[in-house]
Structures are given as structure tokens and as C-alpha cells.
Amino acid sequence: MWQRGAVTASAPIEVDLALLGGGGAASLLLAALDRHGVRDLRIAVVDPVRRRGQDRTWAFWGHPDSDLDPLLSASWQQVEVTTPARRRVLDLAPLRYAMLRSGPLYDRAAEAERRLGAIRIVAPAASVVDDATRVVVRTGDGGIVRADWVLDSRPRPPARPGRTTWLQHFRGWWLESDRPAFDPARAVLMDFRTPQPARGVSFGYVLPVSDRHALVEYTEFSPALLTDAGYDTALAGYRDLLGLDPAGLRVREVENGVIPMTDAPFPARPSPRVARLGTAGGATRPSTGFTFSAMYRQADQVARALAAGRPPVPEPAYPRRHRWMDAVALRALDRGGVGGPDFFDRLFDRNPAERVLRFLDGVTTPVEEVAIMNSTRLLPMIAATAGDAAHRVRDRLRPARPAPAIPAAVVGGPPIVGRGSAAR
Ligand SMILES: Cc1cc2nc3c(=O)[nH]c(=O)nc-3n(C[C@H](O)[C@H](O)[C@H](O)COP(=O)(O)OP(=O)(O)OC[C@H]3O[C@@H](n4cnc5c(N)ncnc54)[C@H](O)[C@@H]3O)c2cc1C
């Protein structure tokens, strides 16, 4: 279904830029194009779903005073990282940790879309053919879009299986408390006191927006999802660990998610005039699942390029050496050489918080990265490095195999906690 401009479903439409997928990456890009004053560009956005409202909450760190500041639900200068051994409060200056709910970003993108005069096509992109001068996109409603450039953020599995394939999977409850229960001055970034899975890492976290209202999540980095009841049990356990009284709590919303954590490749440039963005383009950091900062950075790069009349192709989301370090770290965690809480304990103990966070965003210098690597346990890391090298050689000799699809999140009914619950 075409939604702007005098075109019918069967008339091919000519644009300078087609965005396939209108989720997080595309929303940040539309906002960046608007911010950089890009005008007179013919844009089409193709997505079977017009994203609106609260379907996810993004937490990320960065410098204050970005254009996103007015959209934030909360931000914190201090965060806690807690292990069974100790609780540390980290001052993030000059950075800050921030929470952006999807609704305000989707609204901002819709406003940008209007100002840019973009055409919205509410249908899936079915096929994409790039002849190196133009790209022809056929949509599920029988339409055709011809574009100079395509930026594709449709979810897709990696090009081949990873050497380590984990998932970051989680459930969060938006909790409302009868009485003050949270410290709005401080977020809990990672709390490893949760029972650790046999293979993988688990932690809880708390993102308070006021003293009575917070997002409390249980997260696992591990190979397989839990059941619906498994997430509720783990989250109830974490709520109890925090000392929250269920009798005075209501679950206002439930948030579920699955994010790939793998060293499998997500090719960012499948053909000359197509670039991939978002998770599909490798913006998800394999060792943490954090994606938002890389998407924001790449949106800015693309908008600057278009404003300067250059091709809309962003730099790789992370430097190659970071992807290698992540592959080694994931392997060490997966093969049991390194324990998750111990790994993060040492990282935050031996480095300024700001360096660790910039490292996780992929923007540290090689000298800083040596310091980061020196804070991990040497022997398991050497073993993981050797194992990774041997696995790469084996992969080259083996015939190519398809990668498994990234599973959908487990979505259940309303949880039974506290006095009342209102799950989405
Ligand atoms: C619940 C949740 C919470 C998250 N929280 C964080 C966080 O706190 N911090 C962080 O850094 N990262 C987080 N992430 C990871 C990441 O930032 C998000 O997944 C982000 O939305 C990824 O953006 P994207 O554009 O790659 O994918 P999406 O936002 O999923 O957008 C993909 C779009 O493609 C569309 N689409 C699908 N098929 C087609 C088709 N055939 N044709 C056209 N369009 C199609 C979909 O409808 C969708 O709109 C979270 C992820 C989830 C799921």
C-alpha cells in the first residue's frame, strides 16, 4: 500500500534512496537526515509495519546534549555494577547512561519522514536486484521501487554460522511501586548476583525513571532461550534479590527480546548500491548485544555523506580488531575458560568506566585496548585465541552451511506478581 504521492501500487516509483525496514536503524537515519538538513532527496521507506509506540526500550551511553536528549525518559551519571563479591558505583563522566523508549524515537522519525517528504510503502520488500547502477526492489504488494541506493535493515540471519552462537535474551517488567523503592539518581547496569546458568552468563538490571517507577530486567547471554515461566521465575527471583515487596508492586508493561551475540558475519555491503544497517549490518556488538550507539553513529555518517553529495555508505560498525577480540571473549565465556561475573569484575576494576564503555562502543585506541586485554585472565584468553584461530582454519576447509535464524522472543501472558499486572 503506497501512502504518499500520487502513485498506484502498480506504477514503479523512482527514488534516490530506499530504506528497507523502518525500525531502530531507519528511525535514527530519518532523524539524522532531518537534523543535517538533507532536503530534495527522494526517499521511500518500505516496511510491512509502521512502527509506533513502546515495543522496546533502548539503554545506551554517550555524551549529553545530543539531539536525542529531549526524547529520553531518564539518564544517569552513575551506574552500579554488582557481583557476588562486591558492589561498585561507577561515575561515567563525561559520559552518561540513558534510556530512550521506542515511542518517542518512532514519533521523531515520523516527523522527519513528513519533513523529508518520504513515501511510505506498507508492504514487505520481497526481492532486491542491484545492477550496479540502480537497485530494483519488488514489494509484497506487487509494487516496484527503483532506487539509486538501498539501505537495508530487514532482520536476517548471518551469512554463515558463527564459531560461537549465543543469544542475549531477556524479559523486563515496568514496575510501579506504591511507595519509594528505587533510586532515580542511579541505574544498575549489571547485577551478577542472579543464579548463573550452567553455560552462559546471567544478570539483572534496574533502570529507574522515578523513585516509584523502573524497568527491572533479567538477561541471559547463553545459547538457548528460556520458557515463559522460566523468565518469570528468574525475574521474580531478581525482584526478591533487590528486596522489593511484591505486595506493593504492579507490573505495568512487559518487554521481551532476543539479540544475536555471535562472531558470525553480517555482511554490511552485499552489493555495490546496497548497504545494510542495524543488526542486519553488524551493528550489534557480539560481546554485549549493545547496538544503539553504533546505529546512531552510522546514521550520522550516512546523513553527513548525503548532505555532502557522497554515497550513503557508513563505516563498518566496529573495527576488525574489535570483532576479533569479541570472538575470543565470546569463545572464552562459552567454553568455560572465563566466568562472566569475573570477566566483567576485572574489566571494571582495572579500567576507568569511561574507557570500558568506549571500548564496548568500538571507539577506543589500540593502546587503550591493550590495557583492556591486560585486565582479562591471561591463560584462558590465550587458549581461546588459539581455539579461535584453529576454528577459522577448519571453517575455511568446510563447505559453507546456512546459519540458523535468530529466534523470536518468548512472549507470555501477564505475570502473576504483586497486586495487579498489566502486561502489553
Ligand atoms: C526488546 C529489545 C530491547 C533492546 N534494547 C537495546 C538496548 O537497550 N540497547 C541497545 O544497544 N540495543 C538494544 N536492542 C538491540 C537493537 O538496538 C534493536 O533490536 C534495534 O531495534 C535494532 O534496529 P534494526 O533497525 O536493526 O532492527 P528493527 O528495529 O527490528 O527493525 C527492523 C525492521 O524491519 C522490518 N521488516 C521485517 N521484514 C521486512 C521486509 N521483508 N521488508 C521491509 N521491512 C521489513 C520490521 O518490521 C522492522 O520494522 C534491543 C532489542 C530489542 C528487541
Side-chain angles (χ1 to χ4, degrees), residues 20-26 46-49 51 55-60 106 123-126 153-155 170 205 255-259 277-280 284 289-293 295:
L20 310 186
V46 183
D47 194 317
V49 180
R51 308 219 78 90
D55 63 17
R56 64 203 56 193
T57 303
W58 283 290
F60 59 98
Y106 296 152
S153 57
R154 290 172 297 163
F170 49 90
Y205 66 79
E255 183 164 318
N256 298 288
V258 179
I259 304 172
L277 296 180
T279 297
T284 297
F290 277 110
T291 313
F292 189 88
S293 299
M295 293 197 301

Side-chain angles (χ1 to χ4, degrees), residues 98-120:
M99 176 206 279
L100 174 63
R101 301 210 66 194
S102 54
L105 180 63
Y106 296 152
D107 290 348
R108 173 75 189 89
E111 179 194 318
E113 212 175 303
R114 273 195 302 279
R115 283 221 282 259
L116 293 160
I119 293 167
R120 171 63 76 146

Side-chain angles (χ1 to χ4, degrees), residues 76 182 186-189 204-208 214-217 238 242:
W76 309 272
F182 307 106
R186 208 182 264 182
V188 176
L189 184 68
Y205 66 79
V206 183
L207 303 179
L215 176 62
V216 176
E217 289 217 5
Y238 183 51
L242 292 170

